[in-house]
Amino acid sequence: QVQLVESGGGLVQAGGSLRLSCAASGRTDRVYGMGWFRQAPGKEREFVAAIPWIGGITTYADSVKGRFTISRDNARNMLFLQMNSLKSTDTAVYYCAVGPPYSNRQSSYSYWGQGTQVTVSS
């Protein structure tokens, strides 16, 4: 199995920036793609961004395109999400996950982190 641990969440003012990190361990040879999801209060978990472990073509939800950037560091088994121009609607628990490349479906992902809270003040 693969273990995932997110970090970097916190409280930030609207318009500010935050970088989330996700450390992968265990059977990282099973990692073919990674993604970020989020769940806001009262809403279902939604796709944010994805990146393959090999290759660099990224995908984003329309709601974050142009503001968020997903990246990875293969040597460190790390996944990142740089969040700029944050809005109050970005407030959510953010999760990293392991799955097939380019997938935006929750059901496609096999392993999940515990989540990290991001709160954006108005």
Side-chain angles (χ1 to χ4, degrees):
Q1 61 179 356
V2 178
Q3 295 82 46
L4 302 171
V5 180
E6 302 97 333
S7 62
L11 176 64
V12 64
Q13 293 183 344
S17 299
L18 207 60
R19 190 182 78 157
L20 305 183
S21 300
C22 175
S25 61
R27 295 293 303 275
T28 55
D29 58 306
R30 294 178 176 269
V31 177
Y32 302 113
M34 299 187 75
W36 287 98
F37 290 77
R38 68 185 183 184
Q39 186 168 20
K43 294 187 176 182
E44 297 297 314
R45 190 174 299 183
E46 64 178 355
F47 170 77
V48 176
I51 188 170
W53 201 243
I54 300 175
I57 299 176
T58 56
T59 57
Y60 297 91
D62 289 341
S63 59
V64 306
K65 193 173 298 181
R67 300 188 297 118
F68 290 11
T69 302
I70 187 171
S71 61
R72 66 175 192 271
D73 185 336
N74 292 30
R76 297 166 58 199
N77 292 321
M78 296 284 291
L79 180 73
F80 305 98
L81 184 68
Q82 178 66 46
M83 304 183 294
N84 298 326
S85 301
L86 283 162
K87 308 173 182 179
S88 60
T89 50
D90 294 319
T91 295
V93 176
Y94 284 72
Y95 301 87
C96 68
V98 170
Y102 314 113
S103 177
N104 63 354
R105 300 180 178 88
Q106 291 188 57
S107 60
S108 297
Y109 288 79
S110 301
Y111 304 99
W112 295 81
Q114 84 290 344
T116 185
Q117 176 71 48
V118 173
T119 302
V120 184
S121 62
S122 301

